[in-house]
Amino acid sequence: SSTGDRHDEIDFEFLGNVSGQPYIIHTNVFVQGNGSREQQFYPWFDPTADYHNYTIHWNPAAIVPIRVYRNYESQGVPFPNKQGMTVYSSLWNADNWATRGGLEKIDWNSAPFVAKYRDFRARACRWNGPSSINQCAVNSPANWWTSPEYKQLSYAKQGQMKWVRDNYMMYDYCRDYKRFNGNMPPECFKPQF
């Protein structure tokens, strides 16, 4: 996330559960302070059973945490690429909306709540002010994230993404016609893989 009212942010969050209910992986992309690009998935694994590897890949072409948000900025769709971001990891109280839409509240008697990490690596282009926008997008060997293999998912990865979407996606803002009163965001009509 960057800072300020017009911040950019890429969310990858685990929402709590009611005992016996599955966890939910919640993703969102904020651009200039506007989110409303949520997708949610039931994990196909138990996130509490062991350590797992999680990657958020963000480059000039797309953002890929467990979904794909492609860069269609040239077609009028906002994309977070104008500000530096910092990685944050936290446990926070979102019981006004997170667990079953806010119906279930946190049981503070179960505190303390703990999250553990190991082998964290942030491999990123350093933000040195506005000149970084172009420097970080240049196709060069030093900018490994701009190489062709990272511009689009391979056919195998597209198949994996389709499998996850078909079997585990529980919410997609691009299918929520009621929320947007039928006036869907423009990226919803464009390919995401």
Side-chain angles (χ1 to χ4, degrees):
S1 181
S2 59
T3 58
D5 292 342
R6 299 187 51 80
H7 75 285
D8 292 343
E9 181 177 324
I10 301 166
D11 290 342
F12 184 91
E13 303 167 337
F14 286 94
L15 304 185
N17 68 10
V18 178
S19 182
Q21 300 297 317
Y23 287 91
I24 295 171
I25 298 171
H26 175 86
T27 68
N28 198 357
V29 176
F30 284 75
V31 182
Q32 295 293 304
N34 182 17
S36 302
R37 296 173 182 91
E38 302 96 341
Q39 290 183 347
Q40 295 180 340
F41 304 83
Y42 290 120
W44 50 99
F45 57 92
D46 181 353
T48 66
D50 199 354
Y51 286 95
H52 295 84
N53 292 325
Y54 301 102
T55 300
I56 295 176
H57 188 81
W58 170 42
N59 69 11
I63 300 166
V64 185
I66 189 175
R67 44 120 25 118
V68 178
Y69 185 81
R70 296 208 57 78
N71 184 346
Y72 289 111
E73 190 174 39
S74 66
Q75 298 172 39
V77 176
F79 191 79
N81 61 359
K82 304 287 186 277
Q83 348 181 22
M85 290 205 226
T86 302
V87 175
Y88 295 94
S89 177
S90 66
L91 297 170
W92 57 282
N93 181 358
D95 69 3
N96 61 329
W97 68 271
T99 306
R100 292 187 356 143
L103 296 176
E104 300 294 331
K105 303 302 180 191
I106 291 175
D107 177 5
W108 293 103
N109 293 319
S110 297
F113 305 107
V114 177
K116 295 180 181 179
Y117 305 88
R118 73 174 180 207
D119 300 328
F120 173 78
R121 279 189 321 162
R123 297 178 7 187
C125 185
R126 257 199 201 287
W127 179 257
N128 295 312
S131 65
S132 298
I133 296 168
N134 293 327
Q135 291 169 354
C136 293
V138 169
N139 289 324
S140 75
N143 290 356
W144 59 268
W145 53 87
T146 62
S147 66
E149 70 182 286
Y150 293 109
K151 289 192 177 182
Q152 184 156 346
L153 296 179
S154 68
Y155 288 117
K157 295 216 180 284
Q158 288 180 34
Q160 290 171 334
M161 188 72 69
K162 182 177 178 343
W163 177 79
V164 167
R165 290 177 66 85
D166 291 349
N167 294 291
Y168 296 98
M169 180 182 272
M170 60 168 290
Y171 178 79
D172 181 0
Y173 74 109
C174 283
R175 296 180 188 163
D176 195 341
Y177 297 98
K178 183 177 177 184
R179 175 183 180 185
F180 294 102
N181 199 24
N183 189 17
M184 303 306 290
E187 66 270 17
C188 294
F189 301 102
K190 301 186 180 306
Q192 289 300 311
F193 294 4

